[in-house]
Amino acid sequence: MKSVTVVGLGPMGQAMASAYLDSGYEVTVWNRTPAKAEGLVARGARRAETVEAALTANELVVLSLIDYDAFDAILAQAPSAALDGRTLANLTSDNPDRARRTAAWLAESGAVQITGGVQVPPPGIGTPDAMTYYSGPKDAIEAHRPALEVLTGIDYLGEDHGLAALYYQIGIDMFWTALAGYLHGQAVAEANGISAEDFLPQAVKTMDLRYFLEFYAPRIAAGNHEGDVDRISMGVASLEHVLHTTRVSGVDGSLPAAVLEIFRRGVAAGYGENSLTSLVGVLHRPHQGRGQ
């Protein structure tokens, strides 16, 4: 019978364990708070009483934890021998270097890490378009492909364990920044009597940045920052208008002010007549003084 262990039963772990149960897997679960496993146990999952029992129950162990500190704390509860021969699909969020160090440490105990970064929220687990970044040994991923694909599709990035973590963190950077922009815009809208429902169609159109990404990416790759379509100096003027509108609406202006400061740094560095893509270079040097 197909089997898997799921360690960590937050919203993501719950969704993953449920997906495996729905797919006919024999599922062993462990969580620091045992009560979180009760609903899954009622559906047929087996609750491991210890971390060691969870690890040794199956060859494939899927972990979705808040960070690698939590990962380390959990694995410290089991002897290293419990890791021997296991493949750990580590879908825990943390930085690339941490992913690499953890993979090396696991290898010393005879375990293989598959590093993953899930690209959907818990309700997206098991849906057709869901994807996860994976990196690490390709043979390990292929050996467990059917089980991994119960959760999401596989976007394999290469052998370097840090790649999945890197791509995931870049995506989260863009995600939170974009949503913060939406929430700030909505705050200004509400301050002027415009509800979220009324503003929704405009918000959706504004946040659809595909045209701009597809236009700018080749230019960035080619080092072409010509100001033929946009200029950083234009962006400064535009953001000053945004900041003024924000403040007269009685809304906190720290978010657009931070973006405006980056554009001003671009002007100070001599890129005022160049495209906003020049800011990539400015952002590479966040600790240097203006104009350097």
Side-chain angles (χ1 to χ4, degrees), residues 142-178:
E142 291 303 323
H144 296 286
R145 176 176 286 273
L148 297 175
E149 288 183 336
V150 168
L151 306 178
T152 71
I154 294 173
D155 187 352
Y156 181 64
L157 301 173
E159 297 278 336
D160 178 0
H161 281 283
L163 284 175
L166 175 62
Y167 273 66
Y168 177 79
Q169 298 304 342
I170 292 171
I172 291 298
D173 176 6
M174 297 169 66
F175 175 79
W176 288 127
T177 302

Side-chain angles (χ1 to χ4, degrees), residues 50-63:
T50 65
V51 175
E52 180 179 7
L55 292 173
T56 56
N58 296 291
E59 180 185 349
L60 178 63
V61 182
V62 177
L63 304 97

Side-chain angles (χ1 to χ4, degrees), residues 11-259:
M12 185 64 80
Q14 291 275 348
M16 291 177 174
S18 293
Y20 282 122
L21 289 170
D22 291 343
S23 296
Y25 276 68
E26 183 180 275
V27 182
T28 299
V29 296
W30 183 90
N31 193 71
R32 183 180 58 181
T33 306
K36 287 190 176 182
E38 289 177 357
L40 295 167
V41 171
R43 293 187 53 201
R46 298 179 178 182
R47 176 166 45 203
E49 298 302 322
T50 65
V51 175
E52 180 179 7
L55 292 173
T56 56
N58 296 291
E59 180 185 349
L60 178 63
V61 182
V62 177
L63 304 97
S64 179
L65 307 168
I66 190 168
D67 56 28
Y68 275 43
D69 286 342
F71 177 93
D72 291 347
I74 288 171
L75 264 62
Q77 298 178 43
S80 60
L83 292 168
D84 189 27
R86 310 298 154 194
T87 297
L88 278 66
N90 195 352
L91 309 182
T92 300
S93 173
D94 217 306
N95 67 70
D97 287 341
R98 192 75 180 269
R100 296 182 183 107
R101 293 198 303 270
T102 299
W105 171 73
L106 287 171
E108 293 175 357
S109 298
V112 174
Q113 174 169 289
I114 299 172
T115 308
V118 183
Q119 299 176 43
V120 294
I125 295 297
T127 60
D129 295 331
M131 294 295 290
T132 295
Y133 295 124
Y134 282 105
S135 62
K138 190 171 185 179
D139 57 348
I141 292 172
E142 291 303 323
H144 296 286
R145 176 176 286 273
L148 297 175
E149 288 183 336
V150 168
L151 306 178
T152 71
I154 294 173
D155 187 352
Y156 181 64
L157 301 173
E159 297 278 336
D160 178 0
H161 281 283
L163 284 175
L166 175 62
Y167 273 66
Y168 177 79
Q169 298 304 342
I170 292 171
I172 291 298
D173 176 6
M174 297 169 66
F175 175 79
W176 288 127
T177 302
L179 277 189
Y182 161 65
L183 295 175
H184 187 272
Q186 184 56 49
V188 175
E190 289 184 354
N192 288 276
I194 304 169
S195 72
E197 291 84 357
D198 289 341
F199 189 60
L200 178 59
Q202 285 72 33
V204 169
K205 286 188 290 186
T206 301
M207 297 297 289
D208 182 2
L209 300 175
R210 179 168 182 166
Y211 168 83
F212 297 97
L213 299 181
E214 292 179 343
F215 176 79
Y216 285 126
R219 287 186 162 215
I220 294 171
N224 176 13
H225 304 296
E226 183 182 358
D228 57 331
V229 174
D230 69 274
R231 296 189 298 277
I232 292 178
S233 58
M234 293 167 52
V236 169
S238 177
L239 283 162
E240 286 174 345
H241 301 156
V242 170
L243 187 56
H244 175 77
T245 302
T246 295
R247 288 172 172 167
V248 298
S249 298
V251 174
D252 185 309
S254 57
L255 183 58
V259 179

